[in-house]
Amino acid sequence: MIRVAIQGIKGSFHDIAAHRFFDNEELDLICCDTFEQVFEQMEQDPNVCALVAIENTIAGSLLHNYELLRESGATIVGELKLRISHSIMCLPEDEMDDIAEVNSHPVALMQCREFLSAHKHMKVVEVSDTAGAAADISKARMRGHAAICHKDAAGIYGMKVLQEGIETNKHNFTRFLVLCKPSMAADIRSMEGTDKASLAFTLPHEEGSLSAILSVLSFYKLNLTKIQSLPIIGKEWQYMFYIDLSFEDYKRYRQAITAITPLTKELKILGEYENGKQCI
């Protein structure tokens, strides 16, 4: 059995992603209210791994999770890109015309704005969790209320799906990272398929410092798939850079790391892993 800490409850997108990644594995989910609590679970028990969202194709990066990852000492051992499809659900006794209020996370509500605009009689109320909205409605038997979340939550909480696929953009994916302490990385990750890496580094405050890094990566034929900068608290106008690299030759990738290390002030490999598949 694999113990996995997630933000959210059963039926949440983190739950769905965890089961997609650990396909055919028995999971012991540790459901947390916040991402901070997820990382605390790994710190308290080195046998716990975690699955956390890091970016969405519409909403962008979850910047705070980059900081939590870098400071945690955890390593990335995998990733998964989950298509975010929303459904509206209610108690079995209700129908669409009965719904007076719809509850969900603000991001999910934003992603379903066209559907909600077409149903103006529904009062929109923000809550902290998509699946949590379904759980609360079910527990309190709230007639006339509906939740927007993943369709799998309906079976978990005894709800009825009124309509699937109500998201406005059908090309909406969230990228999740699978994390663990380095001591258990070999139990989850196979280095044989490794073709991607995530790095964090700072640079000297000199002209052309970032350009020099990018030139080296290009020379070694590494594909820079993402670059994100975050300000360093307490150091005005200085930044931490986070990058994702994909490669075909692991040896050339390691040569590139050796080449860029002297050009940085600080460099940390956040993880080496296999490029994640897209799932529905």
Side-chain angles (χ1 to χ4, degrees):
M1 179 179 293
I2 300 175
R3 303 190 70 208
V4 185
I6 62 168
Q7 187 276 320
I9 64 174
K10 290 183 178 180
S12 67
F13 284 101
H14 277 82
D15 173 23
I16 305 303
H19 280 88
R20 296 288 191 276
F21 183 86
F22 293 104
D23 191 26
N24 298 321
E25 296 279 358
E26 187 177 357
L27 300 186
D28 177 16
L29 283 183
I30 304 171
C31 299
C32 304
D33 293 331
T34 67
F35 287 112
E36 284 84 357
Q37 292 175 4
V38 171
F39 283 89
E40 287 171 6
Q41 288 292 327
M42 281 194 297
E43 187 62 32
Q44 294 169 7
D45 186 349
N47 294 316
V48 170
C49 61
L51 182 138
V52 300
I54 198 68
E55 65 176 316
N56 175 265
T57 53
I58 296 175
S61 298
L62 282 75
L63 300 180
H64 186 47
N65 285 356
Y66 278 100
E67 294 181 347
L68 291 172
L69 168 58
R70 183 177 58 82
E71 295 170 355
S72 69
T75 185
I76 306 169
V77 291
E79 70 171 4
L80 180 135
K81 299 151 188 170
L82 179 68
R83 183 175 179 274
I84 304 301
S85 180
H86 295 294
S87 297
I88 183 168
M89 60 190 67
C90 63
L91 294 175
E93 300 85 358
D94 285 339
E95 300 296 339
M96 188 74 80
D97 291 342
D98 300 320
I99 304 305
E101 179 175 311
V102 59
N103 308 145
S104 193
H105 189 278
V107 173
L109 294 171
M110 179 271 293
Q111 293 172 348
C112 301
R113 58 186 180 276
E114 286 190 6
F115 172 86
L116 294 172
S117 295
H119 296 79
K120 295 185 182 298
H121 66 283
M122 296 181 185
K123 179 184 177 182
V124 175
V125 177
E126 297 180 356
V127 296
S128 60
D129 186 67
T130 53
D136 290 344
I137 292 170
S138 177
K139 183 178 180 180
R141 309 307 296 173
M142 299 165 66
R143 294 290 303 272
H145 285 65
I148 290 178
C149 50
H150 192 280
K151 64 181 181 181
D152 287 6
I156 296 172
Y157 299 110
M159 303 281 278
K160 177 173 69 177
V161 175
L162 294 172
Q163 187 174 331
E164 295 183 21
I166 64 171
E167 68 278 1
T168 301
N169 191 315
K170 306 303 180 184
H171 301 279
N172 180 12
F173 285 82
T174 292
R175 177 177 168 234
F176 296 86
L177 299 178
V178 182
L179 314 171
C180 69
K181 288 296 186 180
S183 59
M184 68 174 298
D187 297 332
I188 301 176
R189 173 188 60 197
S190 171
M191 291 301 292
E192 183 178 347
T194 296
D195 57 1
K196 192 171 183 180
S198 296
L199 315 176
F201 59 86
T202 57
L203 295 172
H205 200 54
E206 300 172 359
E207 182 177 341
S209 57
L210 179 57
S211 177
I213 297 289
L214 300 181
S215 295
V216 172
L217 299 179
S218 176
F219 174 80
Y220 282 95
K221 300 187 183 304
L222 305 183
N223 183 22
L224 181 65
T225 59
K226 182 178 176 63
I227 183 167
Q228 181 78 53
S229 63
L230 289 177
I232 301 174
I233 306 301
K235 297 182 179 180
E236 293 81 3
W237 320 122
Q238 296 187 44
Y239 299 87
M240 179 72 68
F241 292 91
Y242 296 86
I243 64 173
D244 292 336
L245 302 168
S246 62
F247 47 85
E248 296 181 357
D249 188 327
Y250 183 79
K251 182 178 179 180
R252 286 185 67 85
Y253 151 72
R254 293 302 307 186
Q255 290 172 337
I257 296 299
T258 300
I260 66 172
T261 298
L263 304 177
T264 68
K265 292 178 65 178
E266 175 190 357
L267 185 145
K268 184 175 184 179
I269 299 174
L270 299 175
E272 299 170 350
Y273 49 99
E274 186 175 359
N275 198 359
K277 62 183 178 179
Q278 292 192 166
C279 297
I280 297 176

